[in-house]
Amino acid sequence: MSNQSDNSAEPQSAGVPAPNGAANLIDTDYQIGQDNYRAKHLGISIDLHGVVFIVSAIVVLAFVLLSLALPEQSTTIFEASKNWINTNMTWFFLLSANIFVVLCLGLIVSPLGRIRIGGADAKPDFSRLSWFSMLFAAGMGIGLVFYGVSEPLSHYNSAVGGINVGADGLRTDWAPLGGAAGDPEAARQLGMAATIFHWGLHPWAIYAIVALSLAIFSFNKGLPLTVRSIFYPILGERVWGWPGHFIDILAVFATLFGLATSLGLGAQQAASGLEHLFGVGDGNVVLVLLIAVITSIAVISIVAGVDKGVKRLSEINMVLAFALLMFVVFVGPTLLIVSNFFSNLSSYFTELPALSNPFGREDANFSQGWTTFYWAWWISWSPFVGMFIARVSRGRTVRDFLISVLLIPSVVSTFWMTAFGTNAITQLQSGFDGVVSADLSLKLFVMLEQLPVAEITSFIGIILVIVFFITSSDSGSLVIDTITAGGKIDAPKPQRVFWGVIEGAIAVALLLGGGLAALQAASVSAGLPFTVVLLVGCYAIVRGLMSEPR
């Protein structure tokens, strides 16, 4: 690693801006986009990496067609793969996620935190509010709305029910750790600690590792903005050949399946909400139509670009999410929510060592059925969220970046889960069991029904899910297009439109080919191999930062 760069430096190649100020460029003859196929047909320009784009497109299209043509067989395969991973690889997911958290916290307090993404003199491309809005909309959106009520309530119910053992001596309950049989307050604290565990430091550390690795190797080292660049310290120039092609193709698959899981969950919740409010039905036809309409809106946003599309939609989403959150806080048990927020954080840190323990777990249903799914889902999302965060984070210091990406969203997620979870648990403790018995995608709306102006807040909830859907599809298309365009961030927009349509098609295929179980299985399967990529990223990021001027 050599070639100091200053303000007068030219970009190493088209597609990624040159560093501003001192930075340690990697000395390579590779030019970004040099292996791309460029053409213009019928007024439509294309600029794509032949191998990565073609292989990814063919395999993904084949998957969609087979899932639609053979739904029963697809469901069997999905379930078998998920069950094997849950049974055999839970320890690997838990151990890996712990490594990511420790590394991020270590970098925050280390001298390496002073390094600036994009060169010593780089300035942020976006205001802090716009930047944070895009981070949050891309990273958590649909999941917080979908699971904000159901997960705290589910863990509370399981914990207060205690431990149940089957005839084979294995636990049949879904309680976290040892549960809290017959103790509602202890069950609430344990249930909220388990919920925060799934939505706090660990998932955001996963995103941060990918994002920071990509940002440093692209904006400071001059390499393409693709996942293969993270492997340069290990593979050297071989990263531009088939080893790199394989890594980028794997990143495309992980991103598409992680996105499809979120889009499928969002479509199910939006359809259930529309049926609940307006009686429009929530069958497969409605789901397919909903995905088609929202995908079309996402395509319009894709054409508008990051500044006009993703940025504006993300800001709208933040306003809607904040309004709904404040409504739930002030109309619900306000003082209890505020006091629970602090007690929940305390419970989280108390239970964190046991919840994150990868070995000797007795709560198999919880650790395999909940934690493994979440860790795999976050990891399969990480190329998409990480690359998107990298794209919009140029100009931030490593310390500022990690605090903003890791700590602040964790606190916000905790407050969100506390507000919605406290309302749901309080309703159950007061004798209303409607939320518990409601379908998973309906729990939010049934909880809101017990509060004033339910029709308005439920409608806001539906809009929130839809806009999160659009921003996820939009930014996901941007990221996949960057990978399949050889790392160029200024590739033609028709390619992004193609991937936006493909994301919707995969969500439809998975929903029709097995529903929620298929979505979860695809996400878990895609997340396993990409965990290895993230572990390599841990080594690469330290290596890359240590060579940077501070």
Side-chain angles (χ1 to χ4, degrees):
M1 296 182 184
S2 59
N3 296 357
Q4 294 291 320
S5 169
D6 57 30
N7 286 324
S8 62
E10 294 295 326
Q12 192 178 9
S13 53
V16 172
N20 297 110
N24 199 13
L25 290 170
I26 286 178
D27 187 7
T28 176
D29 293 330
Y30 185 84
Q31 298 293 306
I32 298 175
Q34 73 175 38
D35 296 328
N36 284 16
Y37 170 75
R38 302 175 185 85
K40 188 171 185 178
H41 300 288
L42 302 175
I44 299 176
S45 300
I46 56 174
D47 184 356
L48 48 87
H49 191 289
V51 174
V52 176
F53 182 92
I54 291 172
V55 173
S56 300
I58 289 175
V59 174
V60 168
L61 287 171
F63 169 84
V64 170
L65 293 175
L66 286 174
S67 296
L68 293 174
L70 304 169
E72 293 183 5
Q73 292 87 339
S74 300
T75 302
T76 302
I77 294 172
F78 294 146
E79 282 293 321
S81 63
K82 185 183 76 170
N83 291 338
W84 185 88
I85 292 171
N86 283 350
T87 302
N88 297 284
M89 301 305 296
T90 292
W91 67 270
F92 179 64
F93 280 114
L94 284 164
L95 181 62
S96 300
N98 293 342
I99 292 171
F100 305 147
V101 172
V102 171
L103 176 59
C104 288
L105 295 175
L107 288 175
I108 288 174
V109 299
S110 80
L112 298 176
R114 297 197 301 268
I115 295 169
R116 189 170 295 275
I117 298 169
D121 299 329
K123 303 297 182 186
D125 295 329
F126 299 95
S127 69
R128 188 168 293 276
L129 180 60
S130 295
W131 180 52
F132 182 71
S133 298
M134 288 189 281
L135 297 184
F136 205 75
M140 286 290 169
I142 292 173
L144 280 177
V145 182
F146 193 87
Y147 287 108
V149 170
S150 63
E151 185 171 356
L153 190 60
S154 175
H155 294 332
Y156 165 79
N157 243 357
S158 300
V160 81
I163 295 175
N164 295 306
V165 180
D168 55 1
L170 299 176
R171 282 176 58 173
T172 59
D173 63 274
W174 285 72
L177 304 178
D183 188 339
E185 179 56 22
R188 184 197 63 76
Q189 291 185 10
L190 178 59
M192 288 306 307
T195 301
I196 297 169
F197 174 58
H198 290 151
W199 296 87
L201 293 176
H202 284 75
W204 286 101
I206 291 168
Y207 296 156
I209 290 295
V210 178
L212 188 56
S213 301
L214 288 168
I216 292 297
F217 279 94
S218 294
F219 297 133
N220 293 62
K221 306 297 184 186
L223 299 185
L225 189 62
T226 62
V227 180
R228 73 171 72 199
S229 296
I230 300 173
F231 281 72
Y232 192 92
I234 296 171
L235 296 175
E237 292 296 309
R238 287 177 297 162
V239 81
W240 313 126
W242 271 103
H245 301 341
F246 176 78
I247 292 165
D248 279 350
I249 291 167
L250 181 62
V252 171
F253 292 158
T255 302
L256 282 170
F257 289 123
L259 270 171
T261 301
S262 297
L263 301 186
L265 294 177
Q268 284 186 328
Q269 189 168 36
S272 296
L274 290 170
E275 159 64 16
H276 192 65
L277 285 180
F278 307 113
V280 297
D282 59 354
N284 285 339
V285 174
V286 174
L287 282 174
V288 172
L289 288 175
L290 193 59
I291 292 174
V293 170
I294 298 175
T295 299
S296 301
I297 299 172
V299 166
I300 296 172
S301 176
I302 288 167
V303 174
V306 176
D307 285 332
K308 296 179 181 178
V310 180
K311 176 185 170 184
R312 291 179 182 175
L313 285 172
S314 297
E315 290 171 348
I316 291 171
N317 244 18
M318 285 298 290
V319 171
L320 289 174
F322 182 76
L324 184 61
L325 175 61
M326 289 299 100
F327 173 84
V328 170
V329 170
F330 289 115
V331 174
T334 308
L335 293 178
L336 186 60
I337 289 172
V338 174
S339 64
N340 281 354
F341 171 71
F342 294 102
S343 65
N344 291 344
L345 279 175
S346 175
S347 299
Y348 165 61
F349 287 112
T350 299
E351 304 292 351
L352 184 59
L355 289 168
S356 58
N357 174 30
F359 306 110
R361 296 290 290 267
E362 297 181 357
D363 54 348
N365 284 337
F366 171 80
S367 59
Q368 296 177 10
W370 279 99
T371 306
T372 301
F373 162 63
Y374 272 133
W375 277 200
W377 189 15
W378 304 144
I379 289 168
S380 65
W381 257 58
S382 64
F384 146 54
V385 179
M387 191 173 295
F388 183 75
I389 292 175
R391 280 201 59 170
V392 299
S393 299
R394 193 170 183 270
R396 308 284 175 182
T397 65
V398 169
R399 182 171 292 117
D400 182 20
F401 173 91
L402 287 174
I403 290 173
S404 298
V405 174
L406 184 66
L407 301 181
I408 295 175
S410 296
V411 172
V412 175
S413 297
T414 298
F415 191 67
W416 180 283
M417 289 296 190
T418 296
F420 285 83
T422 298
N423 266 284
I425 293 170
T426 300
Q427 290 176 7
L428 177 62
Q429 290 177 339
S430 64
F432 177 72
D433 60 358
V435 182
V436 173
S437 57
D439 290 339
L440 184 61
S441 56
L442 267 177
K443 291 184 185 295
L444 169 67
F445 306 108
V446 175
M447 187 274 286
L448 290 174
E449 265 189 348
Q450 305 307 303
L451 304 177
V453 294
E455 292 81 4
I456 296 175
T457 54
S458 294
F459 186 69
I460 290 175
I462 294 171
I463 298 299
L464 195 59
V465 170
I466 289 174
V467 180
F468 272 135
F469 190 134
I470 295 169
T471 52
S472 295
S473 178
D474 190 339
S475 45
S477 302
L478 191 71
V479 165
I480 295 171
D481 180 45
T482 300
I483 298 173
T484 56
K488 299 186 77 170
I489 62 175
D490 52 1
K493 290 179 181 177
Q495 296 169 201
R496 296 183 210 164
V497 172
F498 170 80
W499 289 114
V501 173
I502 288 296
E503 287 160 19
I506 292 177
V508 169
L510 288 170
L511 282 172
L512 298 182
L516 182 61
L519 292 169
Q520 292 179 337
S523 184
V524 170
S525 300
L528 179 60
F530 209 77
T531 307
V532 179
V533 175
L534 265 69
L535 290 171
V536 173
C538 292
Y539 165 78
I541 196 172
V542 174
R543 179 92 177 268
L545 287 172
M546 288 181 69
S547 69
E548 281 295 293
R550 302 170 198 175

